[in-house]
């Protein structure tokens, strides 16, 4: 199963509506995007802690309110044909996924431990308010705390733990989160790790694989989902 990473990060400015559209156009049935809170606690779609890399503005996302974020250009850095592209809200991204019939892997970015509760609360609130189809959603995070709050607040939505390091105790510590999937950096995946994840009955996802010629080897290891910037090449 192919998941477009940050929409389709190699085809359009990452984490924008046009990037989500490119994922769908490539034939991906899943899309991964990153969410965090604006200063006025609105879940917005952007990866970095600051707006510096992916917009024409400067500063921490958490210190800019939605009105200010919406004045920034989030497309021109990628290519001038994308000028005028905005940082989307989660609400807008959910609408886009419904329109394109995509299943959403929503990554909760927890740059600040103190705001994890609010982030999950606000995400859950938008999902409920939009009446977004819960079977078309998976909530993922590097933060076990965030996933535990997701489990408490929206237990019927699948949860995925993202990791870039692995040890023998990892699975044990994940048990109570009742996960759907583990999303592992493809660079650290090996047969032992893959087997232990699959034996635990979990779905195995890798990120971020951009070399289609390596897909078969990962498939042979038991990988179920590939998260890629280049869904068109897969
Ligand atoms: O969700 C997998 C992947 O997106 C995690 O890393 O930094 O690209 O959000 P990052
Ligand atoms: Mg991500």
């Amino acid at each position: 199963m192919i998941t477009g990473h940050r929409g389709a990060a190699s085809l359009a400015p990452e984490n924008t509506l046009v990037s989500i559209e490119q994922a769908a156009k490539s034939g991906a049935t899943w899309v991964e995007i990153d969410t965090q809170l604006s200063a006025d606690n609105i879940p917005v779609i952007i990866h970095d802690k600051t707006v510096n890399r992916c917009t024409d503005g400067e500063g921490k996302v958490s210190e800019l309110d939605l009105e200010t974020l919406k004045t920034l250009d989030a497309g021109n850095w990628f290519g001038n044909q994308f000028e005028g592209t905005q940082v989307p809200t989660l609400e807008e991204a959910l609408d886009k996924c419904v329109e394109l019939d995509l299943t959403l892997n929503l990554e909760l970015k927890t740059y600040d431990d103190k705001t994890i509760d609010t982030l999950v609360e606000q995400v859950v609130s938008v999902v409920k308010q939009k009446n977004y189809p819960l079977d078309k959603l998976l909530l993922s995070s590097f933060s076990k705390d965030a996933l535990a709050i997701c489990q408490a607040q929206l237990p019927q939505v699948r949860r995925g733990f993202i990791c870039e390091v692995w040890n023998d105790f990892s699975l044990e510590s994940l048990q109570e989160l009742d996960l759907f999937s583990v999303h592992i950096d493809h660079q650290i995946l090996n047969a032992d790790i893959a087997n232990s994840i699959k034996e635990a009955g979990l779905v195995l996802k890798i990120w971020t694989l951009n070399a289609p010629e390596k897909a078969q080897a990962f498939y042979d290891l038991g990988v179920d989902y590939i998260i890629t910037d280049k869904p068109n090449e897969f």
Side-chain angles (χ1 to χ4, degrees):
M1 200 85 82
I2 303 302
T3 301
H5 184 234
R6 307 184 192 174
S10 77
L11 303 174
E14 64 180 59
N15 281 316
T16 63
L17 298 182
V18 65
S19 191
I20 296 173
E21 281 166 7
Q22 283 298 323
K25 214 179 253 183
S26 301
T29 51
W30 281 68
V31 71
E32 186 264 5
I33 53 175
D34 306 288
T35 195
Q36 55 181 302
L37 293 177
S38 64
D40 46 347
N41 286 337
I42 310 295
V44 290
I45 307 302
I46 185 164
H47 178 275
D48 296 0
K49 192 174 185 172
T50 74
V51 298
N52 302 6
R53 181 176 61 90
C54 290
T55 76
D56 58 351
E58 266 185 28
K60 288 185 184 167
V61 177
S62 62
E63 291 176 359
L64 300 169
D65 62 16
L66 182 63
E67 198 184 337
T68 308
L69 286 167
K70 281 293 187 186
T71 65
L72 305 180
D73 188 302
N76 202 28
W77 70 274
F78 189 85
N80 53 17
Q81 70 273 35
F82 296 104
E83 192 178 329
T85 303
Q86 291 183 335
V87 173
T89 59
L90 172 60
E91 187 175 348
E92 290 165 339
L94 294 180
D95 284 340
K96 185 55 75 180
C97 289
V98 169
E99 178 194 321
L100 300 170
D101 196 25
L102 286 166
T103 302
L104 176 61
N105 170 355
L106 182 64
E107 180 182 349
L108 278 65
K109 283 288 183 212
T110 57
Y111 291 116
D112 178 2
D113 282 351
K114 281 179 274 172
T115 58
I116 292 179
D117 284 42
T118 319
L119 171 64
V120 178
E121 271 163 30
Q122 293 296 92
V123 165
V124 168
S125 156
V126 172
V127 167
K128 285 186 175 168
Q129 178 206 320
K130 297 295 295 179
N131 207 13
Y132 187 81
L134 300 186
D135 61 335
K136 293 271 192 174
L137 182 62
L138 179 148
L139 296 169
S140 62
S141 189
F142 283 100
S143 161
K144 290 178 196 167
D145 291 342
L147 292 171
I149 304 171
C150 291
Q151 184 180 23
Q153 296 206 4
L154 209 55
Q156 62 275 54
V157 168
R158 291 168 285 183
R159 290 169 296 283
F161 177 64
I162 311 172
C163 59
E164 53 197 345
V165 286
W166 188 260
N167 62 50
D168 293 343
F169 306 104
S170 290
L171 273 175
E172 210 172 304
S173 71
L174 294 172
Q175 234 161 21
E176 58 196 28
L177 290 173
D178 189 20
L179 296 173
F180 170 75
S181 49
V182 171
H183 310 187
I184 193 162
D185 182 346
H186 77 279
Q187 298 178 94
I188 64 158
L189 187 66
N190 59 36
D192 285 345
I193 298 173
N195 288 341
S196 60
I197 293 171
K198 301 295 291 189
E199 275 164 19
L202 294 165
V203 164
L204 174 57
K205 305 193 178 208
I206 52 167
W207 52 275
T208 302
L209 183 68
N210 290 330
E213 67 277 9
K214 295 188 180 160
Q216 184 63 47
F218 282 108
Y219 182 69
D220 293 343
L221 281 182
V223 167
D224 302 292
Y225 288 71
I226 291 170
I227 302 175
T228 175
D229 294 326
K230 301 179 170 178
N232 56 321
E233 293 189 21
F234 283 76

Short mmCIF file of all heavy atoms in Angstrom, two decimals, residues 56-105:
data_model
loop_
_atom_site.label_atom_id
_atom_site.label_comp_id
_atom_site.label_asym_id
_atom_site.label_seq_id
_atom_site.Cartn_x
_atom_site.Cartn_y
_atom_site.Cartn_z
N ASP A 56 7.37 31.85 3.33
CA ASP A 56 8.18 33.06 3.21
C ASP A 56 8.21 33.84 4.52
O ASP A 56 8.66 34.98 4.56
CB ASP A 56 7.65 33.95 2.06
CG ASP A 56 6.20 34.35 2.25
OD1 ASP A 56 5.53 33.82 3.18
OD2 ASP A 56 5.72 35.20 1.49
N GLY A 57 7.73 33.22 5.60
CA GLY A 57 7.73 33.89 6.91
C GLY A 57 8.83 33.38 7.81
O GLY A 57 9.69 32.59 7.40
N GLU A 58 8.79 33.85 9.05
CA GLU A 58 9.77 33.43 10.05
C GLU A 58 9.08 33.27 11.39
O GLU A 58 8.15 34.00 11.69
CB GLU A 58 10.85 34.52 10.21
CG GLU A 58 12.07 34.27 9.35
CD GLU A 58 13.16 35.28 9.62
OE1 GLU A 58 13.25 35.82 10.74
OE2 GLU A 58 13.93 35.53 8.66
N GLY A 59 9.57 32.33 12.19
CA GLY A 59 9.06 32.18 13.55
C GLY A 59 8.49 30.82 13.81
O GLY A 59 8.34 29.99 12.90
N LYS A 60 8.21 30.59 15.10
CA LYS A 60 7.65 29.29 15.49
C LYS A 60 6.18 29.22 15.14
O LYS A 60 5.44 30.19 15.38
CB LYS A 60 7.78 29.11 17.01
CG LYS A 60 9.19 28.86 17.48
CD LYS A 60 9.16 28.58 18.98
CE LYS A 60 10.56 28.42 19.52
NZ LYS A 60 10.60 28.45 20.98
N VAL A 61 5.74 28.08 14.63
CA VAL A 61 4.32 27.88 14.33
C VAL A 61 3.49 28.17 15.58
O VAL A 61 2.45 28.84 15.52
CB VAL A 61 4.07 26.43 13.83
CG1 VAL A 61 2.59 26.18 13.59
CG2 VAL A 61 4.89 26.15 12.57
N SER A 62 3.97 27.70 16.71
CA SER A 62 3.21 27.83 17.97
C SER A 62 3.11 29.27 18.45
O SER A 62 2.39 29.56 19.40
CB SER A 62 3.87 26.99 19.06
OG SER A 62 5.18 27.45 19.29
N GLU A 63 3.85 30.18 17.82
CA GLU A 63 3.79 31.59 18.23
C GLU A 63 3.09 32.46 17.18
O GLU A 63 3.04 33.68 17.31
CB GLU A 63 5.21 32.11 18.51
CG GLU A 63 5.78 31.46 19.77
CD GLU A 63 7.23 31.86 20.06
OE1 GLU A 63 7.81 32.63 19.27
OE2 GLU A 63 7.75 31.38 21.08
N LEU A 64 2.57 31.82 16.12
CA LEU A 64 1.88 32.57 15.05
C LEU A 64 0.41 32.16 15.05
O LEU A 64 0.11 30.95 15.09
CB LEU A 64 2.52 32.26 13.69
CG LEU A 64 4.02 32.61 13.57
CD1 LEU A 64 4.62 32.02 12.30
CD2 LEU A 64 4.20 34.13 13.59
N ASP A 65 -0.49 33.13 15.02
CA ASP A 65 -1.90 32.74 15.00
C ASP A 65 -2.32 32.39 13.57
O ASP A 65 -1.58 32.63 12.62
CB ASP A 65 -2.81 33.81 15.64
CG ASP A 65 -2.77 35.13 14.89
OD1 ASP A 65 -2.31 35.16 13.74
OD2 ASP A 65 -3.20 36.14 15.48
N LEU A 66 -3.52 31.80 13.46
CA LEU A 66 -3.95 31.31 12.15
C LEU A 66 -4.01 32.43 11.11
O LEU A 66 -3.60 32.24 9.97
CB LEU A 66 -5.32 30.61 12.27
CG LEU A 66 -5.83 30.02 10.95
CD1 LEU A 66 -4.89 28.92 10.43
CD2 LEU A 66 -7.24 29.49 11.10
N GLU A 67 -4.51 33.59 11.56
CA GLU A 67 -4.63 34.71 10.61
C GLU A 67 -3.26 35.05 10.02
O GLU A 67 -3.12 35.26 8.81
CB GLU A 67 -5.23 35.91 11.35
CG GLU A 67 -5.79 36.94 10.41
CD GLU A 67 -6.31 38.18 11.15
OE1 GLU A 67 -6.63 38.07 12.35
OE2 GLU A 67 -6.36 39.24 10.50
N THR A 68 -2.24 35.05 10.85
CA THR A 68 -0.88 35.35 10.38
C THR A 68 -0.37 34.22 9.49
O THR A 68 0.21 34.46 8.42
CB THR A 68 0.06 35.54 11.59
OG1 THR A 68 -0.53 36.50 12.46
CG2 THR A 68 1.44 35.99 11.15
N LEU A 69 -0.57 32.98 9.91
CA LEU A 69 -0.10 31.84 9.11
C LEU A 69 -0.71 31.87 7.72
O LEU A 69 -0.06 31.53 6.73
CB LEU A 69 -0.46 30.52 9.81
CG LEU A 69 0.38 30.17 11.04
CD1 LEU A 69 -0.26 29.02 11.82
CD2 LEU A 69 1.81 29.81 10.65
N LYS A 70 -1.97 32.29 7.65
CA LYS A 70 -2.67 32.31 6.36
C LYS A 70 -2.15 33.40 5.41
O LYS A 70 -2.43 33.37 4.22
CB LYS A 70 -4.18 32.48 6.59
CG LYS A 70 -4.87 31.18 7.00
CD LYS A 70 -4.84 30.19 5.84
CE LYS A 70 -5.63 28.93 6.10
NZ LYS A 70 -5.45 27.94 5.01
N THR A 71 -1.41 34.37 5.96
CA THR A 71 -0.84 35.40 5.08
C THR A 71 0.47 34.93 4.43
O THR A 71 0.99 35.57 3.52
CB THR A 71 -0.52 36.71 5.86
OG1 THR A 71 0.51 36.41 6.81
CG2 THR A 71 -1.75 37.26 6.57
N LEU A 72 1.01 33.79 4.91
CA LEU A 72 2.32 33.32 4.41
C LEU A 72 2.16 32.55 3.10
O LEU A 72 1.14 31.89 2.88
CB LEU A 72 2.99 32.42 5.45
CG LEU A 72 3.18 33.03 6.85
CD1 LEU A 72 3.86 32.03 7.77
CD2 LEU A 72 3.97 34.33 6.77
N ASP A 73 3.18 32.61 2.30
CA ASP A 73 3.20 31.84 1.05
C ASP A 73 3.94 30.53 1.34
O ASP A 73 5.11 30.52 1.69
CB ASP A 73 3.93 32.63 -0.04
CG ASP A 73 3.79 31.94 -1.39
OD1 ASP A 73 4.22 30.76 -1.50
OD2 ASP A 73 3.27 32.56 -2.32
N ALA A 74 3.24 29.41 1.17
CA ALA A 74 3.81 28.09 1.48
C ALA A 74 4.13 27.31 0.21
O ALA A 74 4.33 26.09 0.27
CB ALA A 74 2.84 27.32 2.38
N GLY A 75 4.16 28.01 -0.94
CA GLY A 75 4.38 27.29 -2.19
C GLY A 75 5.57 27.76 -2.99
O GLY A 75 6.25 26.97 -3.64
N ASN A 76 5.85 29.06 -2.89
CA ASN A 76 6.87 29.67 -3.75
C ASN A 76 8.27 29.08 -3.52
O ASN A 76 9.07 28.97 -4.45
CB ASN A 76 6.86 31.18 -3.50
CG ASN A 76 7.46 31.93 -4.67
OD1 ASN A 76 7.41 31.47 -5.81
ND2 ASN A 76 8.05 33.07 -4.39
N TRP A 77 8.57 28.66 -2.27
CA TRP A 77 9.90 28.09 -1.98
C TRP A 77 10.15 26.83 -2.81
O TRP A 77 11.29 26.52 -3.14
CB TRP A 77 10.02 27.76 -0.47
CG TRP A 77 9.16 26.59 -0.05
CD1 TRP A 77 7.85 26.66 0.33
CD2 TRP A 77 9.54 25.22 0.01
NE1 TRP A 77 7.37 25.40 0.61
CE2 TRP A 77 8.40 24.49 0.43
CE3 TRP A 77 10.72 24.51 -0.24
CZ2 TRP A 77 8.40 23.10 0.61
CZ3 TRP A 77 10.72 23.13 -0.07
CH2 TRP A 77 9.57 22.45 0.34
N PHE A 78 9.05 26.16 -3.17
CA PHE A 78 9.18 24.90 -3.91
C PHE A 78 9.23 25.13 -5.42
O PHE A 78 9.90 24.41 -6.15
CB PHE A 78 7.98 24.00 -3.54
CG PHE A 78 8.09 22.59 -4.05
CD1 PHE A 78 8.79 21.63 -3.33
CD2 PHE A 78 7.50 22.22 -5.25
CE1 PHE A 78 8.90 20.33 -3.81
CE2 PHE A 78 7.59 20.93 -5.74
CZ PHE A 78 8.30 19.97 -5.01
N GLY A 79 8.51 26.15 -5.86
CA GLY A 79 8.47 26.45 -7.29
C GLY A 79 7.51 27.60 -7.50
O GLY A 79 6.45 27.64 -6.84
N ASN A 80 7.87 28.55 -8.38
CA ASN A 80 7.03 29.75 -8.45
C ASN A 80 5.64 29.48 -9.03
O ASN A 80 4.73 30.27 -8.87
CB ASN A 80 7.74 30.93 -9.13
CG ASN A 80 8.30 30.57 -10.48
OD1 ASN A 80 7.89 29.55 -11.06
ND2 ASN A 80 9.21 31.37 -10.99
N GLN A 81 5.45 28.30 -9.66
CA GLN A 81 4.10 27.97 -10.13
C GLN A 81 3.16 27.69 -8.94
O GLN A 81 1.95 27.63 -9.11
CB GLN A 81 4.12 26.77 -11.10
CG GLN A 81 4.43 25.42 -10.53
CD GLN A 81 5.93 25.10 -10.47
OE1 GLN A 81 6.76 25.98 -10.24
NE2 GLN A 81 6.28 23.84 -10.66
N PHE A 82 3.75 27.49 -7.74
CA PHE A 82 2.94 27.22 -6.56
C PHE A 82 2.72 28.46 -5.69
O PHE A 82 2.19 28.37 -4.59
CB PHE A 82 3.57 26.11 -5.71
CG PHE A 82 3.64 24.79 -6.42
CD1 PHE A 82 4.84 24.33 -6.94
CD2 PHE A 82 2.51 24.01 -6.57
CE1 PHE A 82 4.91 23.10 -7.60
CE2 PHE A 82 2.56 22.78 -7.24
CZ PHE A 82 3.76 22.33 -7.75
N GLU A 83 3.13 29.62 -6.20
CA GLU A 83 2.97 30.86 -5.45
C GLU A 83 1.51 31.06 -5.07
O GLU A 83 0.61 30.79 -5.87
CB GLU A 83 3.45 32.04 -6.30
CG GLU A 83 3.60 33.31 -5.50
CD GLU A 83 4.12 34.46 -6.36
OE1 GLU A 83 4.87 34.23 -7.31
OE2 GLU A 83 3.72 35.59 -6.04
N GLY A 84 1.29 31.51 -3.84
CA GLY A 84 -0.08 31.75 -3.39
C GLY A 84 -0.65 30.57 -2.61
O GLY A 84 -1.74 30.66 -2.03
N THR A 85 0.09 29.47 -2.56
CA THR A 85 -0.35 28.30 -1.78
C THR A 85 -0.27 28.64 -0.29
O THR A 85 0.70 29.23 0.16
CB THR A 85 0.56 27.09 -2.08
OG1 THR A 85 0.53 26.84 -3.49
CG2 THR A 85 0.09 25.85 -1.35
N GLN A 86 -1.30 28.23 0.46
CA GLN A 86 -1.32 28.55 1.89
C GLN A 86 -1.00 27.34 2.76
O GLN A 86 -1.11 26.20 2.31
CB GLN A 86 -2.72 29.03 2.29
CG GLN A 86 -3.09 30.38 1.70
CD GLN A 86 -4.46 30.84 2.19
OE1 GLN A 86 -5.31 30.03 2.56
NE2 GLN A 86 -4.66 32.13 2.19
N VAL A 87 -0.64 27.62 4.00
CA VAL A 87 -0.56 26.56 5.02
C VAL A 87 -2.01 26.15 5.30
O VAL A 87 -2.82 26.99 5.67
CB VAL A 87 0.08 27.09 6.33
CG1 VAL A 87 -0.01 26.05 7.44
CG2 VAL A 87 1.52 27.53 6.09
N PRO A 88 -2.36 24.87 5.09
CA PRO A 88 -3.76 24.49 5.32
C PRO A 88 -4.06 24.24 6.80
O PRO A 88 -3.16 23.93 7.58
CB PRO A 88 -3.91 23.17 4.54
CG PRO A 88 -2.55 22.71 4.17
CD PRO A 88 -1.55 23.76 4.56
N THR A 89 -5.32 24.40 7.14
CA THR A 89 -5.76 23.94 8.46
C THR A 89 -6.06 22.45 8.36
O THR A 89 -6.24 21.91 7.25
CB THR A 89 -7.06 24.66 8.89
OG1 THR A 89 -8.07 24.37 7.90
CG2 THR A 89 -6.86 26.16 9.01
N LEU A 90 -6.16 21.79 9.51
CA LEU A 90 -6.55 20.38 9.51
C LEU A 90 -7.94 20.23 8.88
O LEU A 90 -8.20 19.29 8.12
CB LEU A 90 -6.55 19.83 10.94
CG LEU A 90 -7.12 18.42 11.10
CD1 LEU A 90 -6.34 17.40 10.28
CD2 LEU A 90 -7.15 18.02 12.58
N GLU A 91 -8.81 21.19 9.20
CA GLU A 91 -10.16 21.14 8.66
C GLU A 91 -10.14 21.11 7.12
O GLU A 91 -10.82 20.29 6.49
CB GLU A 91 -10.93 22.37 9.16
CG GLU A 91 -12.37 22.34 8.79
CD GLU A 91 -13.16 23.50 9.40
OE1 GLU A 91 -12.63 24.21 10.28
OE2 GLU A 91 -14.30 23.71 8.96
N GLU A 92 -9.35 21.96 6.53
CA GLU A 92 -9.25 21.99 5.06
C GLU A 92 -8.65 20.69 4.52
O GLU A 92 -9.07 20.19 3.46
CB GLU A 92 -8.38 23.18 4.62
CG GLU A 92 -9.04 24.53 4.85
CD GLU A 92 -8.07 25.70 4.77
OE1 GLU A 92 -6.84 25.51 4.93
OE2 GLU A 92 -8.54 26.84 4.58
N ALA A 93 -7.68 20.15 5.22
CA ALA A 93 -7.05 18.91 4.77
C ALA A 93 -8.04 17.74 4.84
O ALA A 93 -8.07 16.88 3.96
CB ALA A 93 -5.81 18.61 5.61
N LEU A 94 -8.86 17.71 5.89
CA LEU A 94 -9.87 16.64 6.01
C LEU A 94 -10.86 16.73 4.85
O LEU A 94 -11.22 15.71 4.24
CB LEU A 94 -10.62 16.73 7.35
CG LEU A 94 -9.82 16.47 8.62
CD1 LEU A 94 -10.73 16.60 9.85
CD2 LEU A 94 -9.15 15.10 8.62
N ASP A 95 -11.29 17.94 4.53
CA ASP A 95 -12.21 18.13 3.40
C ASP A 95 -11.58 17.60 2.11
O ASP A 95 -12.22 16.96 1.29
CB ASP A 95 -12.55 19.61 3.21
CG ASP A 95 -13.54 20.12 4.24
OD1 ASP A 95 -14.23 19.28 4.85
OD2 ASP A 95 -13.61 21.34 4.45
N LYS A 96 -10.30 17.90 1.93
CA LYS A 96 -9.60 17.49 0.71
C LYS A 96 -9.51 15.96 0.64
O LYS A 96 -9.71 15.36 -0.43
CB LYS A 96 -8.20 18.13 0.70
CG LYS A 96 -7.38 17.92 -0.53
CD LYS A 96 -8.06 18.33 -1.83
CE LYS A 96 -8.13 19.81 -2.04
NZ LYS A 96 -8.82 20.17 -3.33
N CYS A 97 -9.25 15.31 1.77
CA CYS A 97 -9.17 13.84 1.78
C CYS A 97 -10.52 13.21 1.45
O CYS A 97 -10.59 12.21 0.73
CB CYS A 97 -8.66 13.33 3.13
SG CYS A 97 -6.92 13.69 3.37
N VAL A 98 -11.59 13.80 1.97
CA VAL A 98 -12.93 13.30 1.66
C VAL A 98 -13.18 13.46 0.16
O VAL A 98 -13.61 12.51 -0.52
CB VAL A 98 -14.01 14.03 2.49
CG1 VAL A 98 -15.40 13.71 1.97
CG2 VAL A 98 -13.89 13.65 3.96
N GLU A 99 -12.89 14.65 -0.35
CA GLU A 99 -13.11 14.94 -1.78
C GLU A 99 -12.37 13.93 -2.66
O GLU A 99 -12.88 13.49 -3.69
CB GLU A 99 -12.60 16.37 -2.05
CG GLU A 99 -12.71 16.85 -3.48
CD GLU A 99 -11.88 18.13 -3.69
OE1 GLU A 99 -11.86 19.01 -2.79
OE2 GLU A 99 -11.23 18.24 -4.75
N LEU A 100 -11.15 13.55 -2.25
CA LEU A 100 -10.31 12.69 -3.09
C LEU A 100 -10.39 11.21 -2.69
O LEU A 100 -9.68 10.38 -3.24
CB LEU A 100 -8.85 13.16 -3.03
CG LEU A 100 -8.60 14.59 -3.51
CD1 LEU A 100 -7.18 15.03 -3.18
CD2 LEU A 100 -8.86 14.70 -5.01
N ASP A 101 -11.22 10.92 -1.69
CA ASP A 101 -11.38 9.56 -1.18
C ASP A 101 -10.04 8.95 -0.74
O ASP A 101 -9.72 7.80 -1.04
CB ASP A 101 -12.04 8.67 -2.25
CG ASP A 101 -12.58 7.38 -1.64
OD1 ASP A 101 -12.86 7.38 -0.43
OD2 ASP A 101 -12.69 6.37 -2.36
N LEU A 102 -9.25 9.75 -0.02
CA LEU A 102 -7.97 9.28 0.51
C LEU A 102 -8.14 8.87 1.97
O LEU A 102 -8.93 9.48 2.69
CB LEU A 102 -6.94 10.41 0.45
CG LEU A 102 -6.37 10.76 -0.92
CD1 LEU A 102 -5.65 12.10 -0.86
CD2 LEU A 102 -5.43 9.67 -1.41
N THR A 103 -7.38 7.87 2.39
CA THR A 103 -7.30 7.56 3.82
C THR A 103 -6.13 8.34 4.39
O THR A 103 -5.06 8.43 3.79
CB THR A 103 -7.12 6.05 4.03
OG1 THR A 103 -8.23 5.38 3.42
CG2 THR A 103 -7.12 5.70 5.51
N LEU A 104 -6.36 8.94 5.56
CA LEU A 104 -5.40 9.89 6.12
C LEU A 104 -4.60 9.30 7.27
O LEU A 104 -5.16 8.81 8.26
CB LEU A 104 -6.15 11.14 6.60
CG LEU A 104 -5.32 12.21 7.30
CD1 LEU A 104 -4.24 12.77 6.38
CD2 LEU A 104 -6.22 13.34 7.79
N ASN A 105 -3.27 9.35 7.13
CA ASN A 105 -2.35 9.06 8.22
C ASN A 105 -1.92 10.42 8.76
O ASN A 105 -1.10 11.10 8.16
CB ASN A 105 -1.16 8.26 7.67
CG ASN A 105 -0.02 8.11 8.66
OD1 ASN A 105 -0.05 8.67 9.76
ND2 ASN A 105 1.00 7.36 8.26
#
